[in-house]
Amino acid sequence: MDTTQRIRRPYVIVIALAALAILMFSLVPLSIFSFLSQRLPVFATVFLGIFIEAVPYLLLGTLASGFVEVFLDRQWMMRVMPRGNVSSAMMGALLGLAFPVCECGVIPLTRRLFQKGLPISAGVAFLLAAPVFNPIVIFSTAAAFGWGAMLFWRLGLTLVIATFIGIIFSVEKDAINVIKPILPVIHIHKHSHGPIVTFKDKAAQAFVIGADEFFEMGRYLVIGAMLAAAMQTFIGQGTLLTIGKGPVFSVLVMLTLAFILSICSTVDAFVALGFVGTFSFGSILSFLTFGPMVDIKSLLMYRQVFQKRAVVYLALLPLLMSLLAGVVSNYFSP
Amino acid sequence: MPVRLYRLFQGLTLIALCLFLAGKLINGKLTWYINMRFVPLTMLGIALLAMMAQVIFSQSRKKNEDDEDDHIHGSTRNLIILFLPVLIGILLPARPLDSSAVETKGVNVNAPLISNASTSQFEVAADHRNILDWMRIFNYEKDLSPYLNQNAKVIGFVYHDERLPEDQFLLSRFVVSCCAADAFAIGIPVQWEGATTLEENTWLEVEGAVQATEFNDQRTPLIIATSVQTVRTPEQPYLFP
């Protein structure tokens, strides 16, 4: 009776809450506030760094997807793509030469190509290989490492892993088990505008599709960049680098780094360059192969495009294969 | 949300992102976030965002009698998320990485980061070398004797590393290969009797003779400072290898 009466009086509750708040604030050591005021600007800078770096590439990728949707003919695609699983996987892996995209841009583009009738094996191989096997990345890797062993092995290993995983995926014949259906952003009940004819209209249409996809994929870029920035701001990396010794451990450290740094494949060669001398050839190679295939933000985007089981394969197979390649390389050329 | 309203907000978000990036470009703060060499890429991004916004706005103006029936599925959240970078950029103070980031990123005393470390780079006049140049020399040159006792004049911020003796501090810079995410700090120990009085994070210009020392099992330069002056934060706080 007594208690119910007390609860009925709202101001008592307000006072109680205020007292509780004061108590909590006095219990939380002041150092936490100064810690946050120190670290939050660091978080903001790292987050915006990843975001600003990646935005142009995501824009290019989503626009490419828009143009594919509007201009690429489904029949033509069916005719051109080879039938066999192995040949279509290899074809897919090489397709990056025609679409210079990084790992953010490649995901919406792949989904669009799937919709246009690209076989699963080719699409998966394209998804994994294109962020490395394209002119921009080839030149940026060459700019960082020269036209030598690192470039050769990066391209070769990426092709092998992508084609191999593409072939594995070709076991699944039903696309619905691999890819989530595209939900149109806008539900149009009646088609009031007639067929789009002029080039200008078509281009505008491509831009609208690109913009919609930029917003759909961009949210994973934002969230992924935030996660990566938070991990970098609040968890020390110095220790990670100092424990990175030994033929297996060094590869593991570089793979972890590739995952949490979440930097764009077009520029990661310059970052990898920073580890030459501290890390072996094999571990840097694994960094350069695995990073473009899987990192925090691309993993989030995969979840939007692929079914759960496919996402697991898409993350684990590249991880295991780059780990293997890195460790083998460490044993043979220490 | 009706389509036309959604298009309007979509266009506005694109414009906000576009202006945000353009603002950073104009006030020269883009290099607080990314390496200088990728600035043209951001310019391209600004242009694409503007073009997208233009098309989206023209779409939102198109009047379709059936538009009332069309609606958007669950994308309002996307609009908000894409606006977050602008919001964070406005709410949190813009600050280049400083000594508080050193604690998580770690400080490096060797400079393995440069493959094109041709010795020609070492021919830079002694008092024009920056921290990175000095570290390259001490990492790559076998014979240090021509460099010892040369006069160094370098700019960096103060970082008190507890592994150093009382009268020394690290004069540090962040090195950024592509964006702030891959930044790491490098630092040269400086010997200065007033080291303890120097506040962490202060930007200094240090002048003095270069000696060789060992820090963290690594051969590194040590500047015996003859002059230590507070300077303003440089326009480009990071070094780009």
Side-chain angles (χ1 to χ4, degrees), chain A residues 35 37-53 55-57 59-60 62-63 143-145 184-193 201 203-205 207-208 210-220 222-223 226 232-238 241 261 263-264 266-268 270-271 273-278, chain B residues 3 6-7 9-10 13-14 17 20-21 24 30 32-35 37-38 41-42 44-46 48-49 51-52 55-56 59 62 64-66 69-75 77-79 81-82 84-86 88-89 92-98 100-101 103-106 110 112-116 177-184 201 238:
Chain A
F35 175 81
S37 74
Q38 284 293 305
R39 292 294 169 88
L40 277 180
V42 177
F43 167 79
T45 307
V46 174
F47 163 67
L48 287 173
I50 301 177
F51 182 76
I52 293 174
E53 179 76 61
V55 152
Y57 289 108
L59 284 167
L60 286 174
T62 53
L63 278 175
F145 286 93
V185 176
I186 295 176
H187 248 235
I188 293 169
H189 293 280
K190 274 174 259 170
H191 280 278
S192 50
H193 29 228
D201 283 347
Q205 186 65 17
F207 263 88
V208 172
D212 282 339
E213 217 153 48
F214 175 70
F215 278 78
E216 186 190 351
M217 292 295 162
R219 77 164 190 253
Y220 297 107
V222 172
I223 295 169
M226 275 184 175
Q232 289 187 39
T233 318
F234 300 108
I235 302 169
Q237 278 167 288
L241 293 177
L261 280 182
I263 32 176
C264 186
T266 45
V267 292
D268 61 357
F270 298 104
V271 178
L273 198 57
F275 298 111
V276 175
T278 335
Chain B
V3 173
Y6 176 75
R7 288 282 177 237
F9 279 121
Q10 198 179 22
T13 312
L14 288 170
L17 282 170
F20 176 66
L21 293 180
K24 293 277 180 208
L30 214 46
W32 289 12
Y33 303 98
I34 58 172
N35 187 319
R37 84 175 95 188
F38 300 114
L41 197 72
T42 311
L44 174 71
I46 293 170
L48 289 177
L49 283 169
M51 281 162 75
M52 252 185 196
V55 175
I56 293 291
Q59 289 281 314
K62 250 183 216 161
N64 273 329
E65 55 269 30
D66 294 318
D69 293 340
D70 301 348
H71 50 266
I72 300 286
H73 280 278
S75 349
R77 204 181 40 194
N78 294 358
L79 293 179
I81 294 179
L82 261 299
L84 276 180
V86 181
I88 287 178
L92 292 177
R95 216 171 73 189
L97 296 177
D98 55 19
S100 53
E103 281 153 35
T104 49
K105 296 212 164 256
N110 55 357
L113 36 135
I114 314 89
S115 77
N116 48 351
S177 309
C178 85
C179 66
D182 66 68
F184 60 92
N201 233 352
Y238 310 140

Side-chain angles (χ1 to χ4, degrees), chain A residues 23-230:
Chain A
L23 189 71
M24 276 177 65
F25 272 97
S26 59
L27 280 180
V28 173
L30 261 171
S31 60
I32 285 197
F33 293 103
S34 74
F35 175 81
L36 279 182
S37 74
Q38 284 293 305
R39 292 294 169 88
L40 277 180
V42 177
F43 167 79
T45 307
V46 174
F47 163 67
L48 287 173
I50 301 177
F51 182 76
I52 293 174
E53 179 76 61
V55 152
Y57 289 108
L58 184 62
L59 284 167
L60 286 174
T62 53
L63 278 175
S65 163
F67 277 89
V68 161
E69 171 64 26
V70 178
F71 290 100
L72 193 73
D73 183 43
R74 198 186 156 91
Q75 261 75 40
W76 179 83
M77 171 82 117
M78 302 289 250
R79 245 190 356 260
V80 173
M81 283 312 292
R83 295 257 165 263
N85 288 331
V86 178
S87 50
S88 76
M90 286 181 75
M91 173 93 170
L94 293 173
L95 213 55
L97 290 172
F99 296 101
V101 282
C102 72
E103 80 264 27
C104 314
V106 76
I107 298 168
L109 184 59
T110 308
R111 183 173 62 169
R112 195 64 64 180
L113 289 169
F114 274 137
Q115 226 191 1
K116 288 283 179 180
L118 190 74
I120 295 178
S121 56
V124 168
F126 173 69
L127 180 80
L128 297 175
V132 168
F133 210 80
N134 78 58
I136 298 178
V137 179
I138 292 174
F139 278 107
S140 76
T141 311
F145 286 93
W147 299 92
M150 186 60 85
L151 177 68
F152 172 79
W153 281 105
R154 179 181 202 191
L155 294 177
L157 191 59
T158 303
L159 273 189
V160 169
I161 294 180
T163 313
F164 183 72
I165 298 176
I167 294 169
I168 291 181
F169 267 82
S170 67
V171 173
E172 187 61 70
K173 288 291 168 235
D174 201 355
I176 200 72
N177 290 328
V178 178
I179 312 142
K180 287 183 182 169
I182 298 192
L183 294 172
V185 176
I186 295 176
H187 248 235
I188 293 169
H189 293 280
K190 274 174 259 170
H191 280 278
S192 50
H193 29 228
I196 306 162
V197 268
T198 66
F199 176 80
K200 207 180 151 225
D201 283 347
K202 275 190 157 182
Q205 186 65 17
F207 263 88
V208 172
I209 293 170
D212 282 339
E213 217 153 48
F214 175 70
F215 278 78
E216 186 190 351
M217 292 295 162
R219 77 164 190 253
Y220 297 107
L221 172 62
V222 172
I223 295 169
M226 275 184 175
L227 282 176

Side-chain angles (χ1 to χ4, degrees), chain A residues 265-315:
Chain A
S265 65
T266 45
V267 292
D268 61 357
F270 298 104
V271 178
L273 198 57
F275 298 111
V276 175
T278 335
F279 281 86
S280 64
F281 182 91
S283 35
I284 292 172
L285 178 65
S286 65
F287 174 89
L288 286 175
T289 338
F290 180 64
M293 296 186 182
V294 186
D295 62 29
I296 294 180
K297 62 184 160 38
S298 60
L299 197 63
L300 290 173
M301 291 187 197
Y302 284 164
R303 285 183 51 232
Q304 172 80 358
V305 173
F306 292 96
Q307 303 286 6
K308 212 173 273 165
R309 220 157 55 98
V311 176
V312 174
Y313 281 113
L314 280 175

